Amino acid sequence: GERVGLGSPSAAGAAAAPSAAALSAAMGAMAAKHVNQMAFCPPNPTYRKEDVNMWLDTDRGNRIPAFHIRRGFPLTVLVSHANAEDLGLVLQYWAYMSQQLQVDVFAYEYSGYGHATGSPCEANLYSDARAALKILVDGFGLKPERDIVVFGKSLGSCPTCYLAGKHAFRGVVVCSGLASGARVLFPETRVWALDAQFFNNLGSLASCKSPTQLVHGDCDETIPFSNAQDLYAVCRAHHPLPPGWITGGSHNDIESRHRDAFLAILKEFLAHILAAGPTRVMPPSGISAVLKSVGSSVSSSAKALWSCTAPPRSQPAHDM
């Protein structure tokens, strides 16, 4: 038979390495499976369905609870929560943060979480965020570039970056965020084809022109710190203050063990954007153009403040 040498055509064919596209697809499929398993971990509901008096209907046919803490402050923080939380835990924490930061707060549930209908997935996550923004704009008359700061922790960084890539906001805060689903699993594998497959915060934040503040613990064991550095690289031109790197901070202790540093970062950023004035809206990225295809509707009781009669005592779990 033919003897195959290293330099022969047969050897070249036999030993040919997988193409870059094939390798990317294989890694992407493996990453997608594991990231989705990590990404969505709905806890048992920590609030009662009968305590919810604000419901949003999304453009993907789901119905999600929301709450609005209105105290008359000039800025409203639109909160996208982490993956092991629901609104009962978020309400307890952000009622405290509302007073500390002197902001109004609007938070919404994810499809498949708490008492929301549907199932958790990336497409529903973005649909839920669109419904939340729509009620703030159409129902409460807020102007995103003047009145709204979007905030996302961990998994919540994904709908936050998604919105920030499409609209002008007064400010954007990403806490313990991921650069992309792929870079959570493969921090040193910086392949744009992989980034684009799921949870592509890099691509979204690269399109953001709003003032942005990153916060991340440099000892984060869940979302490697390199993810924050990668995000900073794409939004640096619109990051007016130093990044909020928390020395010794892990994924779950920024709001507790490092609370003072965390609050100081947020207060400095909010003071900066209040002094700077509204964010300039560049046509055609006005909110009406962006949201005209969104078909979500809101119940007549949407302007009511939802509160739990007995807020849960447990501490929020800040996993991804």
Side-chain angles (χ1 to χ4, degrees), residues 23 86 107 131 147 275 295:
L23 181 61
D86 70 0
D147 305 320

Side-chain angles (χ1 to χ4, degrees), residues 215 245-247 254 257-266:
V215 184
W245 306 151
I246 305 293
T247 303
I254 287 178
R257 183 176 169 218
H258 302 279
R259 181 183 62 182
D260 291 345
F262 180 55
L263 285 173
I265 291 167
L266 296 184

Side-chain angles (χ1 to χ4, degrees), residues 11 22 31 67 71 87 91 95 98 113 125 150 178 208 241-242 245 297:
F67 73 75
R71 293 183 167 134
L87 279 188
L91 175 61
S98 171
Y113 276 67
L125 194 65
V150 285
L178 53 150
C208 173
L241 302 177
W245 306 151
S297 60

Side-chain angles (χ1 to χ4, degrees), residues 89-151:
L89 298 172
V90 174
L91 175 61
Q92 177 179 276
Y93 178 69
W94 279 95
Y96 163 78
M97 291 293 281
S98 171
Q99 292 285 24
Q100 290 295 310
L101 300 177
Q102 300 288 282
V103 293
D104 289 357
V105 176
F106 188 96
Y108 62 99
E109 193 65 283
Y110 299 150
S111 295
Y113 276 67
H115 297 289
T117 65
S119 59
C121 67
E122 185 175 7
N124 280 342
L125 194 65
Y126 301 152
S127 174
D128 301 338
R130 291 194 297 269
L133 179 59
K134 183 173 176 62
I135 182 56
L136 287 178
V137 173
D138 293 347
F140 292 97
L142 301 187
K143 293 184 179 296
E145 70 277 9
R146 183 192 66 194
D147 305 320
I148 300 175
V149 176
V150 285
F151 175 99

Side-chain angles (χ1 to χ4, degrees), residues 133 144 162-169 208-210 285-287 290-291:
L133 179 59
Y162 167 80
L163 292 178
K166 295 181 177 297
H167 319 308
F169 288 99
C208 173
K209 300 296 186 283
S210 306
S285 62
I287 194 67
V290 176
L291 294 179

Side-chain angles (χ1 to χ4, degrees), residues 7-21:
S8 70
S10 297
S19 68

Side-chain angles (χ1 to χ4, degrees), residues 15-288:
S19 68
L23 181 61
S24 175
M27 291 178 69
M30 180 176 68
K33 177 181 178 181
H34 290 292
V35 168
N36 281 321
Q37 289 174 346
M38 293 167 56
F40 298 106
C41 302
N44 293 326
T46 65
Y47 58 97
R48 302 182 307 174
K49 188 174 183 179
E50 57 266 31
D51 290 326
V52 180
N53 59 19
M54 182 187 294
W55 293 90
L56 311 181
D57 296 321
T58 77
D59 54 18
R60 287 177 58 85
N62 296 320
R63 198 160 191 251
I64 61 173
F67 73 75
H68 197 183
I69 299 174
R70 289 178 290 159
R71 293 183 167 134
F73 294 122
L75 297 178
T76 295
V77 176
L78 173 55
V79 174
S80 297
H81 65 72
N83 81 329
E85 299 175 332
D86 70 0
L87 279 188
L89 298 172
V90 174
L91 175 61
Q92 177 179 276
Y93 178 69
W94 279 95
Y96 163 78
M97 291 293 281
S98 171
Q99 292 285 24
Q100 290 295 310
L101 300 177
Q102 300 288 282
V103 293
D104 289 357
V105 176
F106 188 96
Y108 62 99
E109 193 65 283
Y110 299 150
S111 295
Y113 276 67
H115 297 289
T117 65
S119 59
C121 67
E122 185 175 7
N124 280 342
L125 194 65
Y126 301 152
S127 174
D128 301 338
R130 291 194 297 269
L133 179 59
K134 183 173 176 62
I135 182 56
L136 287 178
V137 173
D138 293 347
F140 292 97
L142 301 187
K143 293 184 179 296
E145 70 277 9
R146 183 192 66 194
D147 305 320
I148 300 175
V149 176
V150 285
F151 175 99
K153 166 73 189 282
S154 196
L155 174 67
S157 67
C158 300
T160 293
C161 289
Y162 167 80
L163 292 178
K166 295 181 177 297
H167 319 308
F169 288 99
R170 189 67 176 265
V172 177
V173 180
V174 175
C175 180
S176 304
L178 53 150
S180 71
R183 296 196 194 195
V184 174
L185 293 179
F186 312 115
E188 303 305 319
T189 304
R190 293 175 169 84
V191 180
W192 284 103
L194 286 177
D195 294 328
Q197 292 191 28
F198 43 90
F199 300 122
N200 185 16
N201 286 351
L202 282 170
S204 296
L205 212 53
S207 301
C208 173
K209 300 296 186 283
S210 306
T212 300
Q213 179 66 56
L214 301 180
V215 184
H216 210 108
D218 64 4
C219 293
D220 194 318
E221 73 289 356
T222 301
I223 298 178
F225 181 54
S226 60
N227 279 245
Q229 294 171 311
D230 292 344
L231 288 173
Y232 184 55
V234 300
C235 72
R236 188 167 186 167
H238 301 284
H239 200 291
L241 302 177
W245 306 151
I246 305 293
T247 303
S250 68
H251 196 68
N252 294 325
D253 68 0
I254 287 178
E255 299 95 327
S256 54
R257 183 176 169 218
H258 302 279
R259 181 183 62 182
D260 291 345
F262 180 55
L263 285 173
I265 291 167
L266 296 184
K267 288 178 179 180
E268 184 180 10
F269 178 67
L270 293 173
H272 174 85
I273 60 177
L274 280 171
T279 301
R280 183 181 179 189
V281 178
M282 299 295 292
S285 62
I287 194 67
S288 59

